[in-house]
Amino acid sequence: PIIANVIYLAGLSPIKGLDLTPFAFVVAGIIYAVVLFGFRFLDIIPIAYNSLIRNMHQGLIILNKDGVIIDINPSAAQMLGISFEEVHNQSLTKIWPHLDFVRFQLGKGQHTEMSINRGGVIRYLDISTAYLKDSEDRIYGQMIVMVDITERREMERAVRESELRYSTLVEQSSDGIVIIQDGVYRFANKTLSDMTGYEVEELVGQALPFGIDKAEHESVIKFHNLRNNGELAPGVYETLLRRKDGSAVDVEISVGSILYEGVVAHIATVRDITERKITQKKLETLYQREYILRNDLQKEIEKRGKYTRALVHELKTPLTSILASGELIEGELQNGDCLLYTSPSPRDRTRSRMP
């Protein structure tokens, strides 16, 4: 329009007296309209949209109202093992019939799972859809969103297997096991039921310290409150259970923390130590008897030692005299001062009687 106006003012118009400025405005308006509305020149949203779509981890397929693929992002192409060029302007029914069937079955806000085989490897996808509508609520296309949930499925399978092994281990454990959450028994195994005489259904739902001897209530509740407050509490301690029939059972309780149904809880392993207690008492009795015998033996040894020392003293006095006399005689013999006396033999006595 500016150029047209300059031409008019300079008198250079091809038709004398004709102002081309209005015609230039019309042409410029058409060009601006095409650029602004056709190419959305001043709209930053398409730039952000393209960046988001290209870099998102979810797979995205854009269809027109006839079910023809007009766009697919890199994540979707990677999940399906294809390229944009292979599927662009292709009918979804022709490329993936099952996916085309699924998209018609899903309502607003719904999603489903499907599996695909890529080179012998099974991948699991979560599929959801959304219709693309204009300002007048007319459908002009559809968007299919895919999320690769293979790792989640594998984790769920591993968790199920782990839970199965854990459940088997818990049920077959020789120790009683109870899960306490918010001070209430949420789970108890059959071993604990047999140990206490209560059915599992009778235990579950009871509040701590149900089943504990009254004399032990205060200490058990104290330990539980310490753990709930994040303070230091004994991880293993001994206490006394009171069975349904009123009899007592010595037990050792080991406590730890777990997540039960998504909420922090305490798991307690209860071990019957009645036999151990009986054995300990027997050992204590044996140790006491050994201690008494050892003391008696020590006293006897000391007594005999005193007797031996007294005996030696009594024997030493006459022996000293004998030894002294012996030494004296030996000295005299060596000096020749001692006469030897020998009793005459029978033959000599006989000769002495002869005339």
Side-chain angles (χ1 to χ4, degrees):
I2 296 176
I3 296 174
N5 188 254
V6 170
I7 292 174
Y8 172 72
L9 294 176
L12 300 176
S13 177
I15 301 175
K16 189 176 181 180
L18 178 64
D19 188 359
L20 298 178
T21 303
F23 297 102
F25 271 110
V26 172
V27 174
I30 293 173
I31 294 173
Y32 290 154
V34 171
V35 172
L36 292 176
F37 299 103
F39 296 98
R40 300 170 73 180
F41 179 71
L42 298 179
D43 193 353
I44 196 173
I45 294 179
I47 300 175
Y49 169 82
N50 286 331
S51 178
L52 174 65
I53 296 302
R54 297 304 168 194
N55 294 292
M56 67 189 299
H57 296 294
Q58 293 83 3
L60 187 66
I61 300 175
I62 306 296
L63 309 174
N64 64 15
K65 61 181 180 179
D66 298 320
V68 175
I69 301 171
I70 59 176
D71 196 11
I72 179 171
N73 74 343
S75 294
Q78 183 180 10
M79 290 179 192
L80 300 172
I82 45 85
S83 65
F84 173 79
E85 293 74 15
E86 291 179 274
V87 297
H88 184 240
N89 290 329
Q90 297 290 326
S91 172
L92 185 64
T93 305
K94 178 180 178 181
I95 304 298
W96 295 294
H98 182 62
L99 182 58
D100 188 59
F101 172 78
V102 167
R103 73 185 180 95
F104 284 112
Q105 307 303 313
L106 296 177
K108 184 178 180 181
Q110 294 181 330
H111 64 93
T112 188
E113 296 180 6
M114 63 178 292
S115 61
I116 57 173
N117 190 327
R118 286 183 50 193
V121 178
I122 304 297
R123 308 293 297 180
Y124 297 93
L125 304 177
D126 182 272
I127 308 295
S128 60
T129 63
Y131 286 107
L132 303 175
K133 299 180 181 180
D134 58 19
S135 57
E136 297 180 0
D137 204 35
R138 292 177 299 187
I139 296 174
Y140 66 87
Q142 190 176 22
M143 177 172 62
I144 301 175
V145 180
M146 301 180 296
V147 179
D148 191 333
I149 59 171
T150 304
E151 290 186 7
R152 191 186 78 188
R153 287 288 295 269
E154 291 296 325
M155 289 178 64
E156 290 174 349
R157 181 183 62 81
V159 168
R160 285 195 298 269
E161 291 178 355
S162 177
E163 288 178 345
L164 180 60
R165 289 194 298 269
Y166 177 76
S167 176
T168 303
L169 177 64
V170 167
E171 291 301 332
Q172 295 181 354
S173 173
S174 59
D175 295 330
I177 295 177
V178 60
I179 295 176
I180 306 168
Q181 193 176 71
D182 299 326
V184 177
Y185 301 153
R186 301 297 185 186
F187 170 86
N189 69 345
K190 185 65 169 57
T191 304
L192 186 64
S193 170
D194 296 338
M195 192 181 299
T196 61
Y198 293 97
E199 296 295 330
V200 171
E201 294 75 14
E202 293 180 280
L203 291 170
V204 174
Q206 295 290 346
L208 190 73
F210 179 80
I212 304 293
D213 187 77
K214 288 184 179 180
E216 303 289 331
H217 281 191
E218 184 178 352
S219 60
V220 171
I221 293 175
K222 177 184 176 181
F223 296 156
H224 178 73
N225 291 336
L226 287 173
R227 278 187 290 272
N228 280 343
N229 296 330
E231 299 178 40
L232 186 63
V236 180
Y237 60 92
E238 295 181 5
T239 188
L240 196 65
L241 292 186
R242 186 62 61 180
R243 293 171 54 86
K244 189 174 182 179
D245 61 9
S247 59
V249 183
D250 288 301
V251 295
E252 179 184 78
I253 296 181
S254 175
V255 185
S257 297
I258 63 168
L259 280 178
Y260 182 71
E261 297 180 349
V263 181
V264 175
H266 296 117
I267 181 169
T269 302
V270 184
R271 176 168 297 175
D272 187 341
I273 58 172
T274 303
E275 292 297 327
R276 191 171 79 187
K277 284 287 187 179
I278 293 173
T279 303
Q280 285 178 348
K281 289 180 179 179
K282 289 181 179 178
L283 287 174
E284 288 174 2
T285 302
L286 290 174
Y287 289 149
Q288 185 66 26
R289 289 179 59 188
E290 181 189 3
Y291 176 77
I292 294 172
L293 290 173
R294 190 185 301 116
N295 285 343
D296 291 344
L297 179 60
Q298 185 65 30
K299 291 177 180 178
E300 185 65 24
I301 291 173
E302 292 176 358
K303 181 180 178 181
R304 294 193 178 191
K306 290 179 180 179
Y307 174 78
T308 303
R309 286 192 294 273
L311 180 61
V312 169
H313 178 71
E314 293 296 329
L315 292 175
K316 187 176 181 181
T317 301
L319 286 175
T320 302
S321 301
I322 295 172
L323 289 174
S325 300
E327 290 176 356
L328 179 60
I329 294 171
E330 182 181 3
E332 292 178 352
L333 288 174
Q334 289 177 352
N335 296 328
D337 296 334
C338 182
L339 296 176
L340 294 177
Y341 172 77
T342 305
S343 298
S345 64
R347 180 179 299 178
D348 292 336
R349 285 196 297 269
T350 302
R351 288 178 179 177
S352 63
R353 295 191 188 104
M354 294 177 64

